[in-house]
């Protein structure tokens, strides 16, 4: 058993947020060995003109302050996403605010965008990296001008990040998800895009929108319409859910916050499929929510995801999950006769590209 394998059972004895902070410290100190071997060539793809060695990324919220992204890439993730970052540092909600629902292979969090703010995160990104790192931006809880906050995020990260994400889907900042309605969303996306283009006239990073899995039919159509009317270059589907499926057994199931992990797999994949159909495969989509195996990742890819991300499964399976997942995914692609990931994207939603 390697160091990471040994550490996992110990970390799970700690309260969840303490375990998370310890993991970040271990990664930042370079104490987790790079389990990374060459990726199977079938997993490589080009999205937004950028080369991904494999399609499996680490989702936002794990490395909020960009303290461990180089180590995360060395573990073998095809990409990672720092943030959510807000203009000013903020403490987030009172603890406890992170709960393991072990029986359900799920997590509930109401962190509330705890982060060190744009300046601290930007200075860590300035020293560069080898791989693909996105920056996920949000607004401060007490901000009176949401659009201005996102514009500041775009200004700070457009010159540095490989992609930008407008996060309007966290359930833990009051009023945030109202920005997913058609008019405010269009205004926000246009303003952020204009700022990105002002800062980076040549080769600007793609601008993505991360949406909630709890949108109704009208809202999903609004998101697709806004996305297609050109202000954004892709969608991330999805953030955590405020729903509490009947199936949940853990004593923590009534905690307030966003639910992630296994119970999110199906609803988030259905929403991905829906948005893939509505956008007709014209926009790259990132599928996230409940992925814990190669089969889960493959289901998202066939439903329309060019790339996937995960977070909660790491809590239960540790970083060893990644090597296994990539091996399973490559095997499933081959078994179905696909030479590369790109060939399988959307085959079950819109007949593929
Ligand atoms: C503890 C925790 C913190 C998170 N923080 C953020 C965040 O700051 N910004 C964001 O866009 N998503 C955040 N997420 C959502 C994840 O990026 C992801 O969309 C969600 O957890 C579903 O994926 P999973 O089921 O693989 O965890 C967070 C998730 C967890 C569990």
């Amino acid at each position: 058993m390697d160091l990471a394998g040994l550490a996992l059972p110990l970390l799970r004895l700690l309260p969840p947020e303490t375990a998370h902070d310890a993991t970040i410290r271990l990664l930042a100190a370079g104490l987790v060995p790079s389990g990374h071997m060459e990726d199977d060539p079938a997993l490589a793809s080009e999205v937004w003109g950028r080369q991904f060695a494999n399609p499996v990324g680490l989702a936002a919220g794990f490395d909020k302050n960009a303290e461990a992204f180089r180590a995360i890439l060395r573990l073998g993730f095809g990409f990672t996403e720092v943030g959510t970052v807000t203009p000013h540092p903020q403490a987030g909600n009172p603890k406890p605010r992170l709960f393991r629902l072990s029986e359900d292979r799920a997590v509930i969090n109401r962190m509330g965008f705890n982060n060190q703010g744009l300046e601290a995160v930007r200075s860590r990104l300035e020293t560069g990296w080898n791989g693909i790192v996105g920056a996920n931006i949000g607004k401060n809880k007490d901000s009176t001008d949401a659009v201005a906050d996102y514009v500041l995020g775009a200004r700070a990260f457009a010159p540095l990040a490989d992609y930008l994400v407008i996060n309007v889907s966290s359930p833990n900042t009051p009023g945030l998800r109202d920005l997913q309605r058609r008019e405010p969303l269009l205004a926000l996306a246009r303003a952020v895009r204009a700022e990105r283009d002002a800062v980076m006239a040549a080769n600007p990073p793609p601008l993505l929108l991360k949406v909630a899995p709890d949108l109704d039919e009208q809202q999903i159509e609004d998101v697709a319409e806004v996305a297609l009317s050109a202000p954004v270059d892709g969608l991330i589907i999805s953030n955590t859910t405020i729903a509490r499926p009947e199936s949940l057994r853990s004593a923590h199931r009534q905690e307030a916050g966003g639910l992630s992990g296994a119970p999110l797999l199906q609803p988030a994949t259905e929403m991905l499929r829906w948005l893939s159909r509505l956008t007709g495969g014209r926009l790259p989509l990132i599928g996230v929510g409940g992925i814990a195996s190669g089969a889960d990742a493959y289901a998202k890819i066939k439903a329309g995801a060019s790339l996937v991300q995960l977070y909660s499964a790491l809590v239960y399976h540790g970083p060893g999950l990644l090597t296994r997942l990539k091996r399973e995914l490559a095997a499933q692609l081959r078994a179905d006769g696909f030479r590369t990931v790109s060939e399988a994207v959307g085959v079950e939603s819109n007949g593929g590209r």
Side-chain angles (χ1 to χ4, degrees):
M1 194 186 279
D2 62 14
L3 180 61
L6 271 174
L8 183 66
L10 296 176
L11 287 169
R12 290 211 20 217
L13 294 176
L14 297 172
E17 193 167 344
T18 314
H20 173 264
D21 293 346
T23 306
I24 292 282
R25 297 275 85 75
L26 283 171
L27 287 166
L31 287 177
V32 175
S34 65
H36 190 27
M37 298 181 304
E38 281 290 292
D39 279 323
D40 190 313
L43 297 180
S45 64
E46 182 182 312
V47 187
W48 301 295
R50 283 148 174 83
Q51 303 297 328
F52 291 77
N54 74 73
V56 188
L58 181 59
F62 184 87
D63 186 22
K64 285 178 188 272
N65 296 309
E67 295 167 290
F69 61 94
R70 291 186 192 84
I72 288 163
L73 292 170
R74 279 199 303 274
L75 282 173
F77 281 101
F79 61 111
T80 182
E81 189 172 309
V82 302
T84 296
V85 189
T86 57
H88 304 291
Q90 66 179 28
N93 287 321
K95 297 178 187 178
R97 54 194 180 176
L98 178 58
F99 305 88
R100 291 185 196 111
L101 282 69
S102 302
E103 299 93 325
D104 306 301
R105 288 286 185 258
V107 171
I108 289 178
N109 91 82
R110 52 170 180 269
M111 306 298 286
F113 287 172
N114 57 309
N115 78 103
Q116 296 170 2
L118 286 182
E119 271 317 307
V121 176
R122 193 173 59 112
S123 68
R124 290 190 191 113
L125 291 181
E126 263 167 359
T127 42
W129 58 85
N130 199 355
I132 295 190
V133 179
N136 179 310
I137 55 179
K139 72 178 252 321
N140 280 109
K141 185 178 179 187
D142 59 4
S143 163
T144 51
D145 187 346
V147 174
D149 277 19
Y150 287 93
V151 165
L152 284 174
R155 189 176 304 162
F157 293 126
L160 294 168
D162 293 302
Y163 66 90
L164 293 174
V165 184
I166 301 177
N167 177 13
V168 281
S169 47
S170 164
N172 303 312
T173 295
L176 191 84
R177 289 171 306 150
D178 295 341
L179 293 168
Q180 293 174 116
R181 292 196 333 269
R182 193 177 176 286
E183 292 311 321
L185 190 59
L186 198 55
L188 174 64
R190 284 194 174 135
V192 174
R193 186 183 183 92
E195 183 66 21
R196 178 201 69 172
D197 293 345
V199 183
M200 286 291 285
N203 196 21
L207 178 62
L208 318 189
L209 188 65
K210 182 165 178 180
V211 298
D214 306 311
L215 304 179
D216 62 28
E217 213 165 310
Q218 182 59 52
Q219 289 171 309
I220 293 178
E221 283 173 16
D222 287 353
V223 164
E225 199 184 314
V226 168
L228 284 177
S229 64
V232 296
D233 306 300
L235 298 171
I236 304 187
I237 307 153
S238 72
N239 215 310
T240 57
T241 178
I242 54 169
R244 292 294 182 268
E246 285 291 315
S247 62
L248 297 180
R249 287 161 47 221
S250 164
H252 292 306
R253 65 180 181 264
Q254 293 309 343
E255 291 290 347
L259 173 74
S260 56
L264 183 57
L265 177 68
Q266 218 192 333
T269 305
E270 281 318 307
M271 174 138 165
L272 165 74
R273 190 186 313 282
W274 200 345
L275 276 164
S276 173
R277 287 196 178 127
L278 286 173
T279 55
R282 276 176 282 167
L283 282 180
L285 308 176
I286 300 184
V288 49
I291 294 177
S293 69
D296 299 340
Y298 191 40
K300 299 238 191 231
I301 290 165
K302 288 190 292 183
S306 294
L307 301 164
V308 298
Q309 293 176 319
L310 57 84
Y311 180 161
S312 299
L314 286 179
V315 173
Y316 296 105
H317 303 281
L321 165 74
L322 184 59
T323 308
R324 192 163 68 244
L325 190 155
K326 289 191 291 185
R327 198 188 318 121
E328 291 166 0
L329 177 59
Q332 298 212 357
L333 286 166
R334 283 217 174 79
D336 286 352
F338 296 116
R339 278 167 302 162
T340 64
V341 178
S342 318
E343 289 183 0
V345 174
V347 287
E348 282 182 1
S349 294
N350 47 43
R353 299 276 153 80

